[in-house]
Amino acid sequence: MKEYLRSLATASALALLATVAPAAAQSVHGHDHGSHHSAAPIKGTVNEATTAYAEANAKMHAGMDIEFSGDADVDFVRGMIAHHQGAVDMARIVLQHGKDPEIRKLAGDIIKAQEGEIAMMQEWLKKRGLQ
């Protein structure tokens, strides 16, 4: 069952990339660079930020595809590190592309909080010889 779930998560992440990358390339650059994929387009307007979000999302989901240990604490921490890193990556994208001051402040707060929590979780794993 564990291997099935890992395969399913990996396949989902790859399917997302296969769907997003060709559509994003076509929408951002006006052509598909010779891609022969029959990928569905991303819903909504595709631009540089959209492409960055899709890539960050795929990276986060791939990182959350951990090998489960059976220890709820360890599995939580390992999965949450990638999840928090995804939040940091998304916040950096909005700082690069976003304009709303309130959202930009939120993004900065998220980066600060999540990076602190990532460091705490990495240290927690290190103390247990798991990283």
Side-chain angles (χ1 to χ4, degrees):
M1 182 67 161
K2 177 173 68 172
E3 191 61 35
Y4 168 77
L5 291 174
R6 183 176 311 137
S7 296
L8 182 61
T10 301
S12 296
L14 291 174
L16 175 65
L17 280 175
T19 300
V20 170
Q26 183 174 10
S27 296
V28 171
H29 301 294
H31 57 286
D32 70 1
H33 296 283
S35 173
H36 294 88
H37 298 282
S38 57
I42 297 172
K43 293 179 183 179
T45 303
V46 178
N47 56 29
E48 190 175 328
T50 305
T51 303
Y53 283 130
E55 291 170 358
N57 191 42
K59 178 183 170 188
M60 177 186 69
H61 284 281
M64 290 174 60
D65 183 23
I66 63 168
E67 182 173 338
F68 292 102
S69 68
D71 182 315
D73 298 324
V74 170
D75 294 344
F76 172 77
V77 169
R78 286 182 172 157
M80 288 305 290
I81 289 171
H83 188 266
H84 279 30
Q85 186 60 54
V88 169
D89 293 345
M90 290 177 66
R92 288 194 173 127
I93 293 165
V94 82
L95 287 177
Q96 183 177 2
H97 299 282
K99 297 182 180 21
D100 186 280
E102 185 177 12
I103 298 304
R104 292 176 56 81
K105 181 185 180 322
L106 175 63
D109 292 346
I110 286 170
I111 291 169
K112 182 177 179 182
Q114 301 281 321
E115 284 182 340
E117 291 175 3
I118 289 169
M120 175 268 164
M121 290 184 283
Q122 289 171 332
E123 183 62 28
W124 187 89
L125 288 171
K126 185 178 176 183
K127 285 180 186 176
R128 286 153 183 79
L130 299 171
Q131 189 177 22

